[in-house]
Amino acid sequence: MLGQGLDRKRYNIQRMAEATLNWLDTHQPDMLRLLTKWAQINTGTFNLPGLSRFSNAVEAEFALLGGQLKRLDLPPMQSIDSSGNVIQTPLGQALVFTKRPNAPVKVLLGIHMDTVYPPTHPFQRVTRIDEKTLQGPGVADAKGGLVVLLFALRALEQSDWADKIGWEVLLNPDEEIGSPGSGHLFVEAAGRNQYGLIFEPALPDGSLVGARKGSGNFTVIVRGRSAHAGRNYQDGRSAILAAAEFITALNAVQRDQPDITINCGKIEGGGALNVVPDLAIARFNIRVSNVQDQHHIEAQLAQLAAEFGKRDGIRIEINGGFHSPPKPLDERSSRLFAMAQAAGRELGLDLNIRPSGGACDGNRLVAAGLPVIDTLGPSGGNLHGDREFVRVETLAERSKLTLKILMALAGTVLSRS
């Protein structure tokens, strides 16, 4: 009799799970309509009116889930202008939705609201390319991920697993520039939750990203001494020449440590051609695979700045740092990935795990001690380009995957066997 009761209970759980998963399949057209609507709202990182309008639209959808909402003002972004001065640029607000913070299992779900497309960018229109493909700004990175997140929670809230899961949703407006204003919010949220799910787009074949490189942005300001290039060239000290030598010296680090990538993406300086330039600015993005490499390149930057600073008439100043620490695939995250792969198999998905040189907010969460999967968004391609697209069928697919992960985290492992 006891065995029959357990079998009946397992059967009922399986039927309830299948009904909830089927609900997501039937709502894929709604997911597509909402994604189209959201992608038509420009949310370039510095388009604060657009981000505000989008936040209002998102808040209206999440209000249907219940819970509490907070809008958080972010500190401005500090950067260096073309004259070598520190400037501050305002950022949009972050949104935080919470429900059942005292539940047995606490999960952080997050994704960014901003895109790389400013209002002046020509790529603003959403187009249905064919039955399988939607093209538009942010449809994959990452408004598609936000739709996946929302519908997974809608399905959870109507299921028998809801009372076991307390969730916190963190939506930030500045991820595309490295989360300079919102990064601390992820670190704080890591201390309140047990698991992290981030909805960056999956790789084109549906694979999940495991290890990620750390990423840092650095601005090197080189100041020299101006002089007339004809009458007294010898009295000048060219900041551009010193900057070029600095770039070459720093780039040489990659020869001995190929896992470190150093990209000087922009240089500025100079003016009239008959004046020895007294200012040059070099802007770098640096990627590292582990904390040891991060410390090594930081030490190299400091050493080169000190060496060049000993030259007559040359001063070096370095601004910036690593905004995303390296993200190894640690043991805790590996267990979470194994859970996701098991859930995927039940849905007929063979989920591989691959490393990536890209960084995201999941880097911060892992560094803060939270196990994380950070590519639960839909599959697409041409990210950050004027042909960005999402595979329509993966909207419901990734929502179902997320729901099954949440169910498993709630302590119920579903099986179709």
Side-chain angles (χ1 to χ4, degrees), residues 154-185:
R154 283 184 179 175
L156 175 72
E157 287 302 305
Q158 59 183 298
S159 75
D160 289 350
W161 291 269
D163 61 347
K164 299 177 183 179
I165 294 279
W167 48 262
E168 176 178 350
V169 174
L170 174 55
L171 309 179
N172 58 328
D174 60 340
E175 191 273 346
E176 293 292 5
I177 57 171
S179 305
S182 64
H184 69 284
L185 299 178

Side-chain angles (χ1 to χ4, degrees), residues 175 178-179 212-217 286-288 294 321-327 358-364 367:
E175 191 273 346
S179 305
R212 288 184 180 270
K213 283 192 171 185
S215 179
N217 292 330
I286 301 177
R287 309 253 169 168
V288 295
Q294 176 181 329
F322 280 91
H323 52 265
S324 292
K327 178 197 160 203
C360 75
D361 290 316
N363 291 50
R364 284 189 174 88

Side-chain angles (χ1 to χ4, degrees), residues 36 196 281 317:
T36 300
I281 298 173
E317 178 185 340

Side-chain angles (χ1 to χ4, degrees), residues 28 32 35 127-135 139 378-381 389-395:
Q28 179 154 286
L32 184 60
L35 176 55
T127 305
R128 187 69 182 267
I129 301 300
D130 53 43
E131 286 300 309
K132 296 183 177 181
T133 314
L134 185 73
Q135 186 178 82
V139 291
S379 297
F389 71 89
V390 67
R391 291 169 50 217
V392 171
E393 72 272 12
T394 63
L395 294 170

Side-chain angles (χ1 to χ4, degrees), residues 225-238 274-277:
R225 182 189 303 146
S226 62
H228 192 288
R231 287 193 173 190
N232 59 326
Y233 174 81
Q234 68 280 358
D235 294 332
R237 297 294 181 267
S238 173
N274 62 348
V275 176
V276 177

Side-chain angles (χ1 to χ4, degrees), residues 368-379:
L370 197 69
V372 169
I373 299 175
D374 59 28
T375 40
L376 285 169
S379 297

Side-chain angles (χ1 to χ4, degrees), residues 40-285:
Q40 301 278 23
I41 303 173
N42 181 276
T43 55
T45 306
F46 300 111
N47 180 12
L48 301 195
L51 282 164
S52 178
R53 180 184 168 203
F54 184 71
S55 294
N56 292 338
V58 170
E59 181 180 346
E61 297 293 337
F62 273 86
L64 302 176
L65 297 174
Q68 296 182 327
L69 163 70
K70 291 182 182 178
R71 288 184 179 239
L72 302 178
D73 293 326
L74 302 184
M77 180 188 75
Q78 289 193 350
S79 60
I80 304 297
D81 67 12
S82 297
S83 299
N85 300 315
V86 177
I87 60 171
Q88 296 189 336
T89 305
L91 299 170
Q93 291 181 315
L95 303 182
V96 180
F97 303 93
T98 56
K99 192 167 185 180
R100 293 183 296 272
N102 297 316
V105 179
K106 292 177 277 294
V107 182
L108 173 69
L109 304 95
I111 193 55
H112 57 94
M113 299 181 287
D114 62 325
T115 70
V116 298
Y117 309 101
T120 55
H121 196 285
F123 187 47
Q124 302 289 338
R125 183 182 175 188
V126 177
T127 305
R128 187 69 182 267
I129 301 300
D130 53 43
E131 286 300 309
K132 296 183 177 181
T133 314
L134 185 73
Q135 186 178 82
V139 291
D141 187 18
K143 291 174 182 176
L146 181 52
V147 169
V148 167
L149 184 164
L150 172 65
F151 275 80
L153 288 182
R154 283 184 179 175
L156 175 72
E157 287 302 305
Q158 59 183 298
S159 75
D160 289 350
W161 291 269
D163 61 347
K164 299 177 183 179
I165 294 279
W167 48 262
E168 176 178 350
V169 174
L170 174 55
L171 309 179
N172 58 328
D174 60 340
E175 191 273 346
E176 293 292 5
I177 57 171
S179 305
S182 64
H184 69 284
L185 299 178
F186 286 90
V187 176
E188 294 165 5
R192 297 189 293 266
N193 292 279
Q194 297 161 300
Y195 305 95
L197 305 178
I198 301 295
F199 290 80
E200 292 287 345
L203 295 177
D205 65 352
S207 295
L208 302 169
V209 171
R212 288 184 180 270
K213 283 192 171 185
S215 179
N217 292 330
F218 297 83
T219 299
V220 178
I221 304 171
V222 183
R223 300 187 189 276
R225 182 189 303 146
S226 62
H228 192 288
R231 287 193 173 190
N232 59 326
Y233 174 81
Q234 68 280 358
D235 294 332
R237 297 294 181 267
S238 173
I240 289 180
L241 179 58
E245 293 177 2
F246 187 98
I247 293 168
T248 302
L250 183 60
N251 196 63
V253 174
Q254 297 177 111
R255 288 199 297 265
D256 297 326
Q257 295 184 279
D259 282 345
I260 299 176
T261 58
I262 302 168
N263 181 58
C264 182
K266 188 174 184 179
I267 54 175
E268 303 164 274
L273 299 186
N274 62 348
V275 176
V276 177
D278 62 356
L279 175 66
I281 298 173
R283 303 179 192 271
F284 296 86
N285 176 255

